[in-house]
Amino acid sequence: MNILLAEHLGFCMGVKRATEAVYNLIEREKKEKISTFGPLIHNNLVLDYLAKKGVGIIDNPEDAVGVVIIRAHGIHPDIRRKLEEKAVELIDATCPRVLNSQKKVRKASEKGMSVIIVGDKDHGEVHGVAGYAANVSIIDSRAEAEKVSVKLPALLISQTTFGKGEYDSISSILCARFPGIEVADSICPATGERQKALIDMADKVDAIIVIGGKNSANTLRLYETALKLGKKVWHIEDENEIPEEVKKFSIIGITAGASTPDWVIKKIADKLKTY
């Protein structure tokens, strides 16, 4: 069996930065408790590894002790203030691109602008960015863009991992409905790079494996894109989930979401090479 890896796959800059921050803490000889505020990344294998190393997960600032790491998604400003009041050591591993979105929204709000965020209402990044706006709406589809009420002046901004094509469509609808709305370019290039690399790879393979957490938004978008390309596609988290059906194909393409570490990709590729 031949294996072809997409040109761009796996950890993005923000996730790599956040995981390295936690790994560096684990290597310390100090005995302070280490926790992340919310799951560090959307990958169960990494979370299991961190749990074995004693890294906890907290969801309430009142539970903060020792060292607390802010994950790449960032946090709501009210939560940040509460963590700072706890006098714990706070390490900010918020992705620089997410920080940039937070700053844009804060500045727009200070100018009296309303804010529309395009993204998953339940995503940590969206919740954090929304916290910097006094007047905010969150939408995730063209259908919602057709209905949402917007008070001008307004800023439109997206979750950094949102699909560019969908965001462009939503932007077009809102710009037509509300002329003068300011549109921010906030989508991380890594998202587009992985999508393009998948599309470029698709014509060269018989089937595609998408590696990543089942709750990872950008991994799910890769899976959805692969389905649209008309290939046989599987979404798996580790080598134990490789389906028997894969043996029917000669050339397998592999892509992976931004929360998928290199060692997981390598394990899956190595196992496929034995078929």
Side-chain angles (χ1 to χ4, degrees), residues 90-206:
L90 192 60
I91 295 178
D92 191 352
T94 304
C95 172
R97 295 189 180 279
V98 176
L99 284 173
N100 192 42
S101 291
Q102 292 175 353
K103 290 174 183 175
K104 284 181 179 178
V105 168
R106 187 189 70 239
K107 287 180 180 179
S109 189
E110 288 172 350
K111 293 177 183 177
M113 300 173 71
S114 58
V115 176
I116 307 95
I117 301 175
V118 179
D120 180 354
K121 297 176 178 68
D122 297 321
H123 197 281
E125 176 192 331
V126 173
H127 182 255
V129 172
Y132 289 86
N135 181 4
V136 62
S137 300
I138 303 171
I139 63 174
D140 64 4
S141 67
R142 284 170 281 186
E144 287 190 322
E146 294 281 9
K147 297 184 216 174
V148 68
S149 176
V150 175
K151 180 182 177 183
L152 295 175
L155 171 71
L156 178 66
I157 193 167
S158 76
Q159 181 178 327
T160 57
T161 55
F162 203 77
K164 188 178 185 307
E166 185 71 4
Y167 181 50
D168 288 345
S169 296
I170 290 171
S171 299
S172 296
I173 292 169
L174 291 174
C175 287
R177 291 186 63 208
F178 306 100
I181 192 170
E182 182 181 328
V183 180
D185 179 12
S186 53
I187 294 178
C188 176
T191 300
E193 287 171 354
R194 280 155 183 70
Q195 289 282 336
K196 184 178 183 302
L198 167 60
I199 293 168
D200 290 345
M201 176 184 71
D203 289 339
K204 305 168 188 172
V205 301
D206 301 320

Side-chain angles (χ1 to χ4, degrees), residues 2-269:
N2 292 319
I3 309 302
L4 182 62
L5 298 180
E7 183 179 0
H8 298 285
L9 76 171
F11 272 1
C12 64
M13 173 269 294
V15 170
K16 184 177 181 181
R17 182 172 169 270
T19 53
E20 286 179 350
V22 179
Y23 293 158
N24 289 338
L25 282 172
I26 292 172
E27 295 302 316
R28 282 186 183 182
E29 294 184 3
K30 296 180 181 179
K31 301 297 182 183
E32 67 268 70
K33 181 175 176 56
I34 302 171
S35 301
T36 62
F37 196 87
L40 181 69
I41 61 174
H42 292 149
N43 188 287
N44 290 326
L45 297 175
V46 174
L47 296 181
D48 289 345
Y49 170 79
L50 294 178
K52 289 174 184 175
K53 292 293 184 178
V55 178
I57 300 173
I58 62 171
D59 298 303
N60 189 326
E62 296 303 315
D63 298 328
V65 294
V67 183
V68 176
I69 301 99
I70 298 174
R71 57 186 181 166
H73 300 114
I75 55 175
H76 193 286
D78 289 346
I79 292 175
R80 180 187 290 273
R81 282 190 288 271
K82 289 176 182 177
L83 287 171
E84 290 170 346
E85 289 168 1
K86 288 285 291 184
V88 297
E89 181 181 351
L90 192 60
I91 295 178
D92 191 352
T94 304
C95 172
R97 295 189 180 279
V98 176
L99 284 173
N100 192 42
S101 291
Q102 292 175 353
K103 290 174 183 175
K104 284 181 179 178
V105 168
R106 187 189 70 239
K107 287 180 180 179
S109 189
E110 288 172 350
K111 293 177 183 177
M113 300 173 71
S114 58
V115 176
I116 307 95
I117 301 175
V118 179
D120 180 354
K121 297 176 178 68
D122 297 321
H123 197 281
E125 176 192 331
V126 173
H127 182 255
V129 172
Y132 289 86
N135 181 4
V136 62
S137 300
I138 303 171
I139 63 174
D140 64 4
S141 67
R142 284 170 281 186
E144 287 190 322
E146 294 281 9
K147 297 184 216 174
V148 68
S149 176
V150 175
K151 180 182 177 183
L152 295 175
L155 171 71
L156 178 66
I157 193 167
S158 76
Q159 181 178 327
T160 57
T161 55
F162 203 77
K164 188 178 185 307
E166 185 71 4
Y167 181 50
D168 288 345
S169 296
I170 290 171
S171 299
S172 296
I173 292 169
L174 291 174
C175 287
R177 291 186 63 208
F178 306 100
I181 192 170
E182 182 181 328
V183 180
D185 179 12
S186 53
I187 294 178
C188 176
T191 300
E193 287 171 354
R194 280 155 183 70
Q195 289 282 336
K196 184 178 183 302
L198 167 60
I199 293 168
D200 290 345
M201 176 184 71
D203 289 339
K204 305 168 188 172
V205 301
D206 301 320
I208 297 170
I209 287 179
V210 179
I211 308 170
K214 298 295 170 62
N215 60 340
S216 164
N218 68 87
T219 303
L220 289 172
R221 287 196 178 91
L222 285 171
Y223 176 69
E224 290 164 359
T225 297
L227 286 175
K228 291 175 184 175
L229 294 171
K231 299 288 182 175
K232 182 65 181 179
V233 186
W234 302 275
H235 177 185
I236 66 175
E237 290 193 346
D238 61 33
E239 73 277 12
N240 298 315
E241 293 183 357
I242 297 175
E244 283 293 312
E245 189 182 5
V246 77
K247 295 178 181 178
K248 298 178 182 178
F249 301 90
S250 299
I251 307 174
I252 302 295
I254 291 179
T255 185
S259 296
T260 308
D262 290 345
W263 58 268
V264 173
I265 298 170
K266 185 177 186 304
K267 272 190 174 183
I268 291 171

